[in-house]
Amino acid sequence: MECKHDHHTDEARKNVEANIEKYGCHLVLIERGDYLPAFVYSIGLHQNFNHPEIICFDLKSELMSGMINHACDLIKQGEKLVPGKSYSDFLEGHNIQFLPVDKEFYPDYLGYANWYYGNDFNFPALQMVYPDLQGFFPWENSFDSDWKFRQPLLDRNTDFKFKEERNVCVYTTKQALEGDPILYAYHNTDGAWQFHTSDSPNLADAKLVSLEEMTKLDPTLNEIYHLEYGWRAWRNSLTDAWDYEQDDMEEEPIEEPEIINKPVSAIKKLTNWFKSR
């Protein structure tokens, strides 16, 4: 989630600096949401040791923190952690590897570090990646598919940031497909996505398309990849930033269709959904 960090105070900076001086780095924990995984990342490895910062996803916070602190200890001793190499002393019974983080993801996941370093993304970062219980990594064919979205791989897929399959079906209208700007988005409590050009879409204009088709049509939809279940986002124009909040209408869930394998029945069952808008 891209966040503004200009509000942080001198006191916040002093706290980060104190931890960097005492421990070698400061750790930032982002708690798990209903939709996105928790993650922990470092600040200070680049400043202290000219080493990339490190980020890790979706393990217990104590474990992620411990793994990054262990990395910090190794770096203090002069070791350089590099992509493509397996390391056996981070996670009991399993190797881990590192990936270089594409700077396209910095605003989404490393915003506090970017604030600390001066808001210019001028620092390197590595993602610590762990395997499934059988020892396969996310990029390997035998990787456990149930774990696919636990760790977004930050060295790839900058064109599609959603924690979904690219071919998952989403709701929209013909106006969006014909080029009208998408100004309203909804992430229903059941996981379904809606993208609209108006806050009052018409049932007669309903379309069911893949999420990837929508991101190709409007790449700026990637800016709301983080929208939690039951939340909505809106903007006044394509050049404006998104605002978002919990959707009051999600307090009483509306029956939604089974959208993956039954697109015809899905269209028929959209009536209540469109009427609710």
Side-chain angles (χ1 to χ4, degrees):
M1 179 188 304
E2 182 174 359
C3 299
K4 300 294 185 182
H5 290 271
D6 295 339
H7 64 281
H8 291 305
T9 62
D10 289 341
E11 183 178 354
R13 180 173 291 276
K14 288 178 181 178
N15 180 55
V16 175
E17 291 172 343
N19 285 335
I20 291 174
E21 181 177 357
K22 184 175 182 179
Y23 303 110
C25 67
H26 173 86
L27 297 185
V28 177
L29 167 65
I30 306 299
E31 298 282 2
R32 172 189 291 276
D34 292 334
Y35 177 57
L36 294 180
F39 57 96
V40 174
Y41 64 88
S42 66
I43 302 176
L45 296 179
H46 177 58
Q47 175 180 299
N48 268 0
F49 311 107
N50 195 29
H51 190 283
E53 303 298 346
I54 296 175
I55 184 170
C56 184
F57 287 88
D58 205 33
L59 295 171
K60 290 184 178 180
S61 58
E62 297 84 356
L63 179 55
M64 290 189 288
S65 298
M67 292 166 71
I68 294 179
N69 281 327
H70 178 59
C72 183
D73 290 339
L74 293 176
I75 294 164
K76 286 179 185 177
Q77 297 166 21
E79 183 161 356
K80 181 89 170 174
L81 303 173
V82 296
K85 178 180 177 180
S86 292
Y87 295 86
S88 60
D89 54 346
F90 283 84
L91 192 60
E92 185 176 357
H94 296 285
N95 292 336
I96 63 97
Q97 291 191 28
F98 292 95
L99 297 176
V101 178
D102 191 303
K103 290 193 175 183
E104 181 73 23
F105 287 109
Y106 280 33
D108 305 318
Y109 296 106
L110 297 168
Y112 197 43
N114 188 50
W115 161 78
Y116 181 78
Y117 282 121
N119 293 312
D120 60 3
F121 305 112
N122 191 25
F123 62 95
L126 295 174
Q127 179 183 359
M128 182 186 296
V129 182
Y130 51 88
D132 64 18
L133 296 177
Q134 304 304 315
F136 296 107
F137 284 94
W139 50 84
E140 296 182 296
N141 291 334
S142 298
F143 183 73
D144 187 343
S145 59
D146 290 338
W147 285 33
K148 180 173 182 179
F149 296 111
R150 290 188 63 170
Q151 305 175 85
L153 300 181
L154 304 185
D155 68 334
R156 65 198 73 187
N157 298 327
T158 58
D159 65 321
F160 189 85
K161 297 183 178 181
F162 288 86
K163 197 187 76 168
E164 312 277 356
E165 297 289 356
R166 288 175 179 259
N167 64 352
V168 71
C169 292
V170 299
Y171 302 127
T172 190
T173 57
K174 70 175 185 179
Q175 286 81 5
L177 301 182
E178 291 170 353
D180 287 359
I182 299 168
L183 304 179
Y184 301 89
Y186 304 86
H187 197 187
N188 296 358
T189 53
D190 68 353
W193 286 92
Q194 311 172 26
F195 300 101
H196 300 304
T197 61
S198 165
D199 61 353
S200 301
N202 191 315
L203 174 62
D205 299 326
K207 299 292 181 181
L208 199 63
V209 301
S210 72
L211 182 54
E212 182 177 36
E213 183 175 350
M214 296 304 296
T215 58
K216 287 181 176 179
L217 181 69
D218 182 357
T220 67
L221 295 181
N222 278 300
E223 296 170 4
I224 52 172
Y225 76 96
H226 55 77
L227 202 62
E228 293 283 353
Y229 296 128
W231 282 60
R232 68 187 185 96
W234 69 96
R235 57 186 174 179
N236 293 324
S237 73
L238 285 176
T239 58
D240 288 325
W242 291 95
D243 290 309
Y244 42 89
E245 67 180 6
Q246 191 164 12
D247 188 3
D248 292 338
M249 301 195 70
E250 286 292 325
E251 294 179 359
E252 298 182 4
I254 299 165
E255 180 184 359
E256 294 285 357
E258 186 71 27
I259 63 175
I260 299 300
N261 297 320
K262 300 178 181 179
V264 175
S265 63
I267 291 294
K268 291 180 179 177
K269 291 184 180 180
L270 283 174
T271 303
N272 289 340
W273 168 68
F274 273 104
K275 285 182 177 179
S276 73
R277 298 296 172 197

